[in-house]
Amino acid sequence: MRPLSWPHKLSSWFRLLLRRRELDSALDDELKFHLDSKTEENISKGMTQEEAQRSARIELGGAEQVKERVRSVRTGAWLETLLQDIRFGLRMLWKSPVFTSIAILTLALGVGANTAVFNLLRAVVFPSLSVPLPDEIFVLRGMQTPNDRAFLYSQPAFQRLRESTAAQVDGPRVAAHSALGEGELAAYSGAPVHPVSLQLVSTDFFSVLGVSASAGRVLDRGDDRASSHGWLVVLRHGFWQQHFNADPGILDRSQVLNGTLVSIVGVAARNFDGVIPGDAPDLWLPLEAQHDVRYVGPFDSPGDGSHKDLSKPYNQQSALFWLTLIARVPPGQAASALARWDAAFEPDREIYERFDSPEQKATAGKADFSILPAASNEGALSETYGKPLLVLMGMVGLLLLIACLNLANLQGTRMLRRSHEFAMRSALGASRLRLLQQIVAEIIPLGACGGLLSLGLAHLLGSALVRVSSDRPTHLNLRFGLDVYVFCSVSLLIALILFQILPARKFLFAETLPAVGLTSARGSIGARGSDGGDAMLGAQIALCVLLLSLAAMFVRTLKNLNGLNAGLDWRNILTVRFDFYNSNFGDAALATLYPQMLDSLRSLPGVRFAVQDMCPPPNCLWNTPVHAAGISGETESHQDDVGPGYFRAMGIPLLRGREFNNEDRPTTAEVAIVNRALARRLFGPNQDPVGHRVGFGKAPKDAAYLVVGEIADVLVDDLRRAPPPMIYLPVAQHFPTRGSLEVRTVNRASNTIASVRAALRAVDRQLPISTITPLDEAYAHTFQTQYLLARLTSAFGILAVVLAAIGGYGVQSFRVVRRTSEFGVRMALGASRGDVFAMVLGQALRVSAIGSSAGGVLAVVFSHSLQNLLFEVGDHGIGSWLLSSLILGGVSLLAAFVPARRAMQVDSAVALRHE
């Protein structure tokens, strides 16, 4: 007999589902026909009507049994049985609304949190570009810049590389882009400005990436010169929607960017946010617009003798390295393209090598070009957040496992209560497979509800995690692709198996199935066989201790960082930053403006000091080589130019000499102040640097500045690293018309922001104030990762403790009910109520002690692998483990207290009478 084809099978299944009553009616008619025919045959043999009917029924074998046999061989009978089991499972879940609600919410929270963190981890560690054929987009890496060792290149070098492959049709192509810069956009000159982020790109940037416009057009090779309406600009789609309300009439309309006329020519594709994961510019301009729009961004140069000039356009300076190179390389063409690019780069290679130190020349080698995937090698997002997200992934995984063990304990109690039902099913002929099918059918509604809710929560939690993980807008591609759905499905399946199948293992894998009559609601006397509750509860406590210990370590890290002595008093200080570079204020105007601003701030009530600061902390990364007169060698140092009274205002101790004062003017001798770290490196330990001369070049430039003071070391960048060498110069002698302002207040700095802003606006309403930030908040942002980990792991730890309390209470309560007969016998034989109370509490404490010990071992192991995320947690997490163990021990006692009191109140006579 030839088997049915799939179309026939599908039609049979649908007919079975949609015409079930009709098929059953036909089956009844057919059985009635056979029964009537057999009855007539028996009557013809001489039987009476009653005897004939009875004989026909016996021969037929029973109508209902025949119906079941016929249904069992129908195509799709298994589907019908499954639907029946699902309906039965729904009724069972409907009878336990509390358990059903807890199970669905637990699955949704656990799986949703795991999916959200996984999606965020995928977007950060394995980002993708929203461009056609993203696997063909690469970043070019070759020689590193002499000072910063960065992979940046000049615009002339880029142009030579581009020309070397320009003749190839459908071949490799190269483009360039700058880092993101800041700007101010206005509808017209004198109109209110709006801060924007901008990126300069080569005119073939969009064509190399294959990105089209959603409105208007993108840049092309002919846009390297300003038009009569200004430089052409392409907007990011999201910025177009937010700032211009998606108005198509904005196209070809002029705007003012940093005082320069620009014209909006198009809007990029909806899903294109650039090529740097996490950073999305609001608009793109041609590289050639750099000078006119006053772009300032990261750059490097060989130093003295390289003829760089930051006041001139960057596009013709071969010794100014500021561009990142990206390329589209079709499959199989990488080798030939790299050879062409290496040959085209030869004129620039000489510039790099000429200014390399002997050590750099020895280690650099030839440094030919190589290509790396652009999505995972642009920006520092993965380096910054990769490991913290892996830690969070592990944390939410532990939380899901704890929740599943908690649900498994609760489900175990339901399974034991249903043991009589399973015994009846077994006695009526149900096999292990049939019981397993029933249990699986009960999983399906829970999985469906929990899965749908988890996807919704994953969307919400993913966006929330992005917002709390950074204080600036972060653009990530949090798409829900096939990989995310697969992860969510697998996580849900594992969770369902853990909490549904694990408690049922006793009935599914035992040598014999339960026998009818051996179970009761209260259990049987002396039947204390292990139900697995202690093992699962102990595992749950171990994981809770691990999670709570890690949370305690991250909280200790945050506390240690907040209490760290940075070398200055960051309380009650406001940092006011300006963007004069992108404004129309000239040096002459600023020369009078800065004294007016300082005088206005100093006259405010509640303001103690107001000083000028060229490079305010933290993350002041203005590096320069410092030489000491008469001493060979150089020392890399941070540099900052500050005003009179700066060290007193910032609370930085002066160790020797004097501070800068109003006598340090452009017409007086140039002076400098060094910190202890720089003095130690230049002159040796315990040497007085005051009176020595230093400079920023070799002799005779090494004696340009007289050291007039020495200050204590200050942590100006990473609080977890040693203080860097620092040299300070008087701002009046170098940059009198540049820099930020530091304002020391009497009371909380954040309460003074409004009055400081108003005082500055009173000086000039057009002041381009970028930010006004309390210094303590600025330092707190440097360890924002630790804030994130401390907050989230603490929340996870608290939730784990709550789950442990619920699980412990549920297990102990059900066990007390099951052991009621045993307690009655014990008390009848002389045990006191206190003995029964101590027995229940003792068992809870034993499980807690074993679980806490196992969790402590895991906590110590994990603390070693997280050392670079911890700070001054020197006891390997033992202190955190002891605290967590005490908390979980107390929770276990509280969870067992009410069941223990219930056990000691058992009346032995009543308990035995119920049996």
Side-chain angles (χ1 to χ4, degrees), residues 150-452:
F151 295 101
L152 297 175
Y153 304 93
S154 67
Q155 192 165 345
F158 155 67
Q159 291 168 346
R160 280 188 282 273
L161 265 65
R162 180 171 61 179
E163 294 301 324
S164 67
T165 54
Q168 293 180 290
V169 180
D170 297 328
R173 291 175 292 163
V174 64
H177 67 81
S178 70
L180 268 62
E182 297 178 352
E184 293 181 340
L185 188 67
Y188 52 87
S189 182
V193 297
H194 180 82
V196 296
S197 63
L198 59 92
Q199 187 176 44
L200 303 179
V201 298
S202 58
T203 51
D204 59 350
F205 177 78
F206 293 99
S207 62
V208 168
L209 293 175
V211 175
S212 59
S214 61
R217 68 175 180 87
V218 294
L219 300 176
D220 58 35
R221 292 293 291 268
D223 295 330
D224 56 354
R225 290 181 176 84
S227 69
S228 58
H229 300 289
W231 288 99
L232 299 185
V233 169
V234 175
L235 302 180
R236 180 172 55 85
H237 193 277
F239 177 72
W240 177 54
Q241 289 180 316
Q242 295 166 6
H243 189 68
F244 295 105
N245 295 319
D247 179 14
I250 196 65
L251 298 179
D252 298 323
R253 189 183 300 173
S254 294
Q255 301 278 302
V256 177
L257 178 65
N258 295 342
T260 299
L261 196 65
V262 296
S263 178
I264 299 173
V265 70
V267 180
R270 176 184 295 271
N271 58 349
F272 181 69
D273 288 332
V275 294
I276 305 177
D279 290 325
D282 296 323
L283 47 89
W284 292 272
L285 299 94
L287 297 176
E288 291 73 16
Q290 174 270 325
H291 186 260
D292 290 346
V293 299
R294 302 169 184 173
Y295 167 82
V296 176
F299 71 91
D300 198 4
S301 66
D304 294 339
S306 61
H307 307 294
K308 74 173 189 306
D309 188 348
L310 297 180
S311 64
K312 295 181 179 179
Y314 291 2
N315 60 342
Q316 296 301 322
Q317 299 191 52
S318 296
L320 197 60
F321 315 127
W322 64 295
L323 296 178
T324 299
L325 305 181
I326 59 173
R328 179 178 287 277
V329 183
Q333 301 186 37
S336 60
L338 290 172
R340 288 175 178 269
W341 290 330
D342 284 327
F345 191 70
E346 284 301 324
D348 301 275
R349 194 184 304 276
E350 186 273 333
I351 298 174
Y352 285 74
E353 293 175 345
R354 188 196 322 162
F355 292 94
D356 269 350
S357 66
E359 295 80 7
Q360 291 171 340
K361 291 178 180 178
T363 58
K366 193 173 186 298
D368 290 338
F369 276 111
S370 62
I371 55 175
L372 297 171
S376 55
N377 288 277
E378 285 263 34
L381 197 67
S382 177
E383 183 180 350
T384 303
Y385 292 105
K387 188 156 187 179
L389 282 175
L390 283 173
V391 172
L392 285 182
M393 189 78 238
M395 293 286 191
V396 293
L398 286 176
L399 191 62
L400 177 60
L401 187 54
I402 291 169
C404 288
L405 289 172
N406 188 56
L407 287 177
N409 272 326
L410 296 177
Q411 179 70 350
T413 63
R414 295 181 74 243
M415 288 291 180
L416 288 172
R417 286 173 181 165
R418 294 176 62 188
S419 59
H420 194 74
E421 172 197 333
F422 288 117
M424 289 293 294
R425 287 174 175 270
S426 175
L428 293 174
S431 64
R432 283 188 174 87
L433 184 61
R434 187 68 187 87
L435 292 177
L436 178 62
Q437 182 177 335
Q438 177 60 55
I439 293 173
V440 170
E442 293 181 15
I443 291 178
I444 294 175
L446 288 176
C449 296
L452 290 175

Side-chain angles (χ1 to χ4, degrees), residues 685-913:
N686 303 321
Q687 295 297 312
D688 187 354
V690 176
H692 287 272
R693 287 193 168 271
V694 297
F696 300 126
K698 298 179 180 180
K701 296 181 180 179
D702 60 354
Y705 303 94
L706 176 67
V707 178
V708 297
E710 178 188 7
I711 60 163
D713 290 333
V714 180
L715 298 171
V716 294
D717 42 33
D718 194 336
L719 293 180
R720 291 161 294 184
R721 297 179 182 174
M726 286 287 302
I727 183 169
Y728 295 88
L729 304 178
V731 70
Q733 293 184 341
H734 301 89
F735 300 99
T737 60
R738 290 290 183 269
S740 305
L741 301 180
E742 303 284 5
V743 182
R744 164 75 69 179
T745 62
V746 176
N747 299 314
R748 186 176 178 84
S750 57
N751 297 336
T752 321
I753 292 178
S755 58
V756 166
R757 189 185 301 274
L760 293 173
R761 294 294 187 198
V763 175
D764 193 317
R765 296 190 61 82
Q766 298 298 319
L767 275 177
I769 302 173
S770 297
T771 59
I772 303 179
T773 309
L775 189 59
D776 54 354
E777 292 184 11
Y779 268 97
H781 289 162
T782 63
F783 41 87
Q784 191 168 16
T785 300
Q786 281 68 31
Y787 265 113
L788 178 67
L789 288 174
R791 273 189 237 159
L792 293 180
T793 55
S794 297
F796 296 157
I798 293 171
L799 185 56
V801 170
V802 173
L803 290 174
I806 294 173
Y809 176 78
V811 169
Q812 298 299 336
S813 294
F814 183 70
R815 187 166 288 159
V816 165
V817 173
R818 297 240 331 148
R819 296 176 64 186
T820 299
S821 302
E822 176 192 341
F823 295 147
V825 171
R826 287 180 179 275
M827 283 190 277
L829 294 176
S832 66
R833 297 183 185 275
D835 294 334
V836 174
F837 183 79
M839 183 192 311
V840 176
L841 288 186
Q843 185 177 17
L845 280 179
R846 281 194 300 273
V847 174
S848 177
I850 295 171
S852 297
S853 300
V857 173
L858 293 174
V860 172
V861 171
F862 275 87
S863 68
H864 286 284
S865 61
L866 299 175
Q867 281 302 315
N868 60 338
L869 293 176
L870 302 175
F871 181 71
E872 292 187 355
V873 182
D875 58 0
H876 305 291
I878 294 176
S880 301
W881 164 61
L882 291 174
L883 177 62
S884 303
S885 298
L886 288 174
I887 292 174
L888 264 299
V891 168
S892 298
L893 281 176
L894 288 175
F897 182 79
V898 174
R901 282 189 57 85
R902 194 180 301 130
M904 66 183 290
Q905 293 170 357
V906 169
D907 188 319
S908 58
V910 174
L912 293 176
R913 189 182 307 123

Side-chain angles (χ1 to χ4, degrees), residues 647-718:
F647 303 106
R648 184 182 176 192
M650 300 295 286
I652 302 174
L654 181 68
L655 305 180
R656 293 187 177 97
R658 67 171 178 88
E659 280 203 50
F660 299 135
N661 54 45
N662 292 326
E663 299 302 318
D664 297 315
R665 299 186 300 273
T667 56
T668 60
E670 293 186 306
V671 294
I673 293 176
V674 299
N675 72 340
R676 178 71 269 183
L678 182 57
R680 189 182 301 112
R681 293 194 185 185
L682 290 177
F683 310 111
N686 303 321
Q687 295 297 312
D688 187 354
V690 176
H692 287 272
R693 287 193 168 271
V694 297
F696 300 126
K698 298 179 180 180
K701 296 181 180 179
D702 60 354
Y705 303 94
L706 176 67
V707 178
V708 297
E710 178 188 7
I711 60 163
D713 290 333
V714 180
L715 298 171
V716 294
D717 42 33
D718 194 336

